[in-house]
Amino acid sequence: MGVNVAVVGVTGAVGTEMLRVLERRNFPVDELRPLASSRSAGKNVIFRGKEVPVQELTADSFEDMNIGLFSAGSSISRKFVPYAIEKNCVVVDNTSAFRMDEGVPLVVPEVNADKIPGHNGIIANPNCSTIQLVLVLKPIHDTVKIRRVVVSTYQAVSGAGLKALDELKKESEHILADKGEFNRSIFPHQMAFNVLPQIPQSNAFLPNGYTDEEMKMINETRKILDDSSFRITTTTVRVPVFRGHSESVNIETEEKLSADQARDLLSKAEGVIVLDDPSNQIYPMASDAAGKDETFVGRIRKDHSVENGLNMWIVSDNLLKGAALNAVQIAEKLI
Ligand code: NAP
Ligand code: 3JM
């Protein structure tokens, strides 16, 4: 018995991966309903080798659908998720719209799949930078209790959507061809050959000096680890990489965990691969993680500035484990 699946935002960076992941994991789709804006109605997507027409998302889009995978932005989710729920279509929401709502499980299956059965029609997929972080923090927290975490991210441009990717390509060519001033519409500053300490690029900074992305990582990590006072601080940064988010992570723990013990612990963690052989220049890189399902961790070493501390480098494909794959894994648990 298959299920009927609506994919909202099917023409986007995440939606496109959603179809590929459903296909390659043989998700038992009976009917696929690809949904996007009126701009895309009439276009086709390819699913299992067949063309399927994209429909415009409306209040009536969820008739007969069992699962709705949403990734068309938070305002679209706020407006249309209630129509899906009305039709008993269970929603896996990839946006920030409901993540922090009580009664909405925020799930990374390897970490807290046990929260899924408590849902009331919506299960939220965390932010891409949160997912790869908690996959690594959870086994460490369970073993030696984390006292404090300091994270700096190096996030790929695909995390900002297809238009942002296009702008980076065009700006790169423009600069290499020495064409002078470049007219940009997505990023507030040069993104090619540059590093921007502001994610998302369009939102104002919060009164506390943080960005939305930084606060998402903090609040979501606390919710997933089930500890509202978990000590974590973040700086989120966009780098001119197409695909794959990297994170420099400093972890202080209550009890001692040596670098070797951490490597051993993390090599047994589901969904995590330790890539850590500095003498042979082996460490995780965005270029290797792109297109892969796992989250990679390396450069694991003692932080000499504290009694019990570790530094590490965590990399994952932001469109796969950071978005589409995690959402489909949640849907797999649902059925
Ligand atoms: P994108 O490449 O810009 O794609 C946006 C998608 O949303 C397109 O399919 C677009 O359809 C659709 N859309 C826009 N306005 C719409 C409307 N009024 N009605 C119906 N569909 C509409 O962006 P993306 O990178 O795929 O990200 C999409 C969203 O996913 C983000 O806004 C974010 O909320 C979420 N996201 C989540 C994660 C995560 O969970 N970790 C990561 C990245 C993104 P058209 O082609 O017709 O315009
Ligand atoms: C990642 O307001 C918006 O729609 C922002 C869109 C967005 C989000 C989000 O807030 O849902 C772009 C990129 C995310 C996310 O995963 O939090």
Side-chain angles (χ1 to χ4, degrees):
M1 258 270 295
V3 290
N4 296 341
V5 180
V7 179
V8 180
V10 73
T11 51
V14 177
T16 303
E17 288 303 325
M18 208 70 92
L19 295 185
R20 300 288 78 82
V21 174
L22 288 169
E23 217 173 78
R24 90 179 142 82
R25 292 177 73 90
N26 289 317
F27 192 87
V29 180
D30 250 357
E31 183 190 335
L32 174 80
R33 190 166 297 168
L35 299 164
S37 78
S38 56
R39 293 178 291 273
S40 300
K43 287 184 189 167
N44 290 311
V45 291
I46 308 279
F47 186 65
R48 295 183 187 146
K50 289 205 181 90
E51 290 194 334
V52 189
V54 177
Q55 300 176 24
E56 180 184 354
L57 173 66
T58 69
D60 302 322
S61 293
F62 302 96
E63 191 75 52
D64 300 327
M65 291 292 112
N66 306 113
I67 293 182
L69 303 173
F70 276 69
S71 46
S74 54
S75 57
I76 303 292
S77 283
R78 268 188 217 103
K79 181 167 172 195
F80 289 95
V81 163
Y83 294 118
I85 292 174
E86 213 171 80
K87 300 283 182 204
N88 288 322
C89 168
V90 179
V91 170
V92 180
D93 187 33
N94 256 296
T95 81
S96 57
F98 307 104
R99 284 180 192 148
M100 297 313 298
D101 290 8
E102 223 174 293
V104 174
L106 182 62
V107 173
V108 178
E110 295 87 342
V111 175
N112 63 346
D114 57 304
K115 301 283 184 206
I116 294 175
H119 76 82
N120 296 305
I122 312 174
I123 296 130
N125 196 72
N127 179 269
C128 36
S129 298
T130 308
I131 294 175
Q132 65 185 69
L133 178 68
V134 296
L135 273 174
V136 170
L137 292 188
K138 173 71 172 165
I140 297 175
H141 196 41
D142 285 348
T143 310
V144 284
K145 193 157 193 315
I146 293 172
R147 190 180 288 166
R148 178 169 181 253
V149 179
V150 182
V151 189
S152 296
T153 69
Y154 303 65
Q155 296 182 221
V157 166
S158 53
L162 289 179
K163 287 190 185 132
L165 265 183
D166 189 54
E167 186 164 295
L168 173 62
K169 285 178 195 161
K170 292 203 169 105
E171 191 180 40
S172 303
E173 286 165 0
H174 195 91
I175 291 174
L176 288 172
D178 209 6
K179 285 187 176 162
E181 234 3 75
F182 175 77
N183 275 330
R184 59 183 71 84
S185 58
I186 304 291
F187 293 104
H189 303 287
Q190 181 179 323
M191 185 66 252
F193 311 103
N194 204 7
V195 168
L196 302 189
Q198 184 189 357
I199 302 179
Q201 67 282 345
S202 50
N203 295 19
F205 283 85
L206 299 166
N208 66 3
Y210 284 68
T211 65
D212 283 336
E213 187 88 346
E214 287 160 353
M215 292 314 300
K216 282 178 198 174
M217 284 187 75
I218 292 169
N219 294 326
E220 294 174 16
T221 299
R222 288 175 169 168
K223 178 164 174 172
I224 295 165
L225 297 181
D226 222 347
D227 179 354
S228 59
S229 56
F230 188 80
R231 289 173 71 195
I232 170 168
T233 187
T234 54
T235 303
T236 59
V237 179
R238 191 77 74 192
V239 293
V241 163
F242 289 132
R243 203 161 160 154
H245 287 359
S246 306
E247 299 179 344
S248 165
V249 182
N250 175 264
I251 305 172
E252 199 182 337
T253 58
E254 295 286 350
E255 290 158 56
K256 189 173 170 54
L257 185 71
S258 71
D260 278 339
Q261 287 170 323
R263 273 186 282 270
D264 188 47
L265 178 68
L266 293 171
S267 64
K268 292 175 190 135
E270 205 188 332
V272 176
I273 291 183
V274 176
L275 263 190
D276 200 12
D277 183 4
S279 59
N280 287 307
Q281 290 174 303
I282 290 172
Y283 35 72
M285 290 183 291
S287 57
D288 289 334
K292 307 250 167 63
D293 284 350
E294 294 85 2
T295 291
F296 300 87
V297 57
R299 299 292 322 279
I300 301 172
R301 63 204 190 275
K302 181 172 170 52
D303 168 3
H304 292 291
S305 70
V306 291
E307 183 72 26
N308 298 325
L310 290 168
N311 288 314
M312 59 191 69
W313 181 249
I314 304 172
V315 184
S316 195
D317 186 318
N318 53 299
L319 297 178
L320 288 176
K321 187 58 186 169
L325 172 64
N326 198 68
V328 172
Q329 286 175 317
I330 292 171
E332 287 170 351
K333 297 276 181 199
L334 273 171
I335 59 170

